[in-house]
Amino acid sequence: MNTDPRNPIIAVRSFGDDPSLVARLGKAFIEGVQDHGMIACAKHFPGHGGTDVDSHMDMPVVMSSREELEWTDLFPFRQAVEAGVGAVMTAHIRTPALDPDTEYPATLSRAVSTGLLREDMGFDGLIMTDCMRMDGITKYFPPGEAELRSLLAGSDIILGPFLEEAYARILDAARSGELPMERLDASIRRILKAKAWCGLDENRFVDTGELPYRIATARTRDDARRIAESSIKLLKNEDGFLRSEEHTSELQSPNT
């Protein structure tokens, strides 16, 4: 959800600024996606809506109290977990109220990923990071070390890593015991479980010839238009500036 009007990155990417509405629409979206065999992902945990910094450029810090976060950002995530969301993406934001003992962003914070999301909320799906090449990470943590820290925090999938540095650092940590094999095994099990849920153990390929009949069909375009039109509320129409529906059909073209 989006709670800060100065937010430069979330804005219309959220369902709104009302936690109850965001939770309700989020649950409906999750159910719709997962009922059709895809894994829905709730992001950006524990909440990117209260920031005034773009995490592509720097690391935002959210100074809200734990109580404030529970009533705003965390409520929709709790509802998403309850709805059975298959994945959660963490954010490159620091939230001192959730991890007062470190200066790690959520992506690298065990208190947030494991303590809050896994243990407190009971989430057992996939935890994935936001892109590790964003400045919210790279300005403060060297390549390789950041990827390792995300695994130690509880991440299962690392997006956009620095591959060579990450491979070398993680391999070294696994050999030395710094990264327990049990931590890696837990992530591997979740990834394999997710693949099996999607049926990838039986069919890993997509018939690209079917895509024109499945994506952006006339039916889905009609549904999208109907949803968009029904979402608009006319508050006033001074001097009849907007014409009624019966007078606008002649202005609409097939490409409108």
Side-chain angles (χ1 to χ4, degrees), residues 37-56:
M38 295 180 288
I39 296 175
C41 180
K43 64 176 190 176
H44 305 72
F45 188 81
H48 211 316
T51 63
D52 58 3
V53 173
D54 182 350
S55 53
H56 291 85

Side-chain angles (χ1 to χ4, degrees), residues 174-187:
R175 286 173 171 171
S176 68
E178 182 182 3
L179 176 61
M181 290 306 298
E182 292 82 3
R183 170 75 277 282
L184 289 176
D185 288 343
S187 288

Side-chain angles (χ1 to χ4, degrees), residues 15-222:
F15 282 122
D17 60 4
D18 181 336
S20 297
L21 177 63
V22 171
R24 181 166 62 86
L25 295 179
K27 290 176 70 173
F29 185 86
I30 290 164
E31 292 168 1
V33 168
Q34 297 191 164
D35 282 351
H36 288 79
M38 295 180 288
I39 296 175
C41 180
K43 64 176 190 176
H44 305 72
F45 188 81
H48 211 316
T51 63
D52 58 3
V53 173
D54 182 350
S55 53
H56 291 85
M57 308 301 179
D58 208 336
M59 186 195 300
V61 179
V62 176
M63 297 305 299
S64 302
S65 68
R66 176 63 183 261
E67 183 179 15
E68 290 171 331
L69 290 170
E70 285 289 351
W71 283 105
T72 55
D73 299 75
L74 294 180
F75 178 74
F77 281 108
R78 290 188 182 278
Q79 294 297 301
V81 171
E82 183 180 301
V85 68
V88 172
M89 177 184 284
T90 53
H92 303 328
I93 63 172
R94 187 163 72 88
T95 311
L98 302 179
D99 186 356
D101 299 325
T102 77
E103 294 188 355
Y104 286 160
T107 312
L108 313 185
S109 169
R110 182 172 175 81
V112 174
S113 291
T114 297
L116 176 58
L117 185 54
R118 290 270 187 237
E119 297 173 354
D120 182 14
M121 293 188 177
F123 178 67
D124 195 37
L126 296 170
I127 295 179
M128 61 179 63
T129 73
D130 208 337
C131 179
M132 299 298 282
R133 295 172 180 262
M134 293 163 60
D135 287 352
I137 290 290
T138 59
K139 279 188 175 182
Y140 303 92
F141 304 94
E145 188 65 28
E147 286 82 355
L148 173 62
R149 292 295 148 194
S150 73
L151 285 177
L152 290 171
S155 300
D156 301 305
I157 297 174
I158 303 172
L159 296 186
F162 290 90
L163 285 175
E164 293 184 8
E165 295 89 343
Y167 177 79
R169 183 67 180 93
I170 291 169
L171 181 61
D172 179 68
R175 286 173 171 171
S176 68
E178 182 182 3
L179 176 61
M181 290 306 298
E182 292 82 3
R183 170 75 277 282
L184 289 176
D185 288 343
S187 288
I188 291 170
R189 281 193 296 270
R190 290 191 188 96
I191 291 169
L192 291 176
K193 182 179 177 181
K195 288 184 174 182
W197 183 86
C198 291
L200 298 182
D201 55 327
E202 298 179 356
N203 181 15
R204 297 187 294 115
F205 303 100
V206 172
D207 183 356
T208 56
E210 287 290 315
L211 295 181
Y213 305 101
R214 294 175 176 269
I215 299 175
T217 63
R219 178 179 176 182
T220 57
R221 289 197 300 270
D222 288 344

